[in-house]
Amino acid sequence: MPLTVVIVDDHPSFRASARAILESDGFEVIGEATDGTSALRMLRALRPDVVLLDVQLPDMTGFDICAECGELDRTAVVLVSSRDGSDYGDLIERSGARGFIPKADLTGPALLALVE
């Protein structure tokens, strides 16, 4: 049974490429959100195995979303950004996310390595 994923990013081109990459590697993308408010609503309704979460969103940060979705214990959060992870200091580690993948390095195996 494939792992279910919700992609949260405000850039349609990244959502489309992430969907194509992950689906070709056997993940099932069950939703996409463009901002934090709709992401939280979607995560609570769909309860995916994984959320691929952009750090910079129009209405809140990925770190804010991590803090608000603590009740989704079975959902693994993986942060992504076009910036390098070191740009965020210890925020990634303190966020409760499983890890961080630079957008340019997103692959199914890289995601799987963080959520298994």
Side-chain angles (χ1 to χ4, degrees), residues 14 17-18 21-22 25 27 52 78-86 100-114:
F14 177 75
S17 64
I21 289 166
L22 296 178
D25 283 332
F27 290 86
L52 191 64
V78 175
L79 295 165
V80 294
S81 178
S82 55
R83 296 173 58 181
D84 188 80
S86 63
F100 174 85
I101 301 173
K103 287 183 179 182
D105 296 339
L106 178 64
T107 64
L111 183 60
L112 197 57
L114 291 174

Side-chain angles (χ1 to χ4, degrees), residues 13-68:
S13 60
F14 177 75
R15 288 195 315 274
S17 64
R19 175 184 281 273
I21 289 166
L22 296 178
E23 288 180 343
S24 72
D25 283 332
F27 290 86
E28 180 184 359
V29 178
I30 59 171
E32 297 181 15
T34 60
D35 59 44
T37 303
S38 61
L40 286 168
R41 197 170 35 252
M42 186 176 293
L43 295 174
R44 290 177 178 128
L46 298 178
R47 304 286 183 162
D49 298 314
V50 182
V51 58
L52 191 64
L53 178 59
D54 189 16
V55 172
Q56 302 293 334
L57 295 167
D59 59 344
M60 61 179 64
T61 70
F63 303 117
D64 296 330
I65 295 170
C66 284
E68 292 210 25

Side-chain angles (χ1 to χ4, degrees), residues 73-79 92 95-100 114-116:
D73 291 334
R74 93 170 191 70
T75 299
V77 177
V78 175
L79 295 165
I92 293 169
S95 70
R98 292 281 182 95
F100 174 85
L114 291 174
V115 299
E116 280 197 316

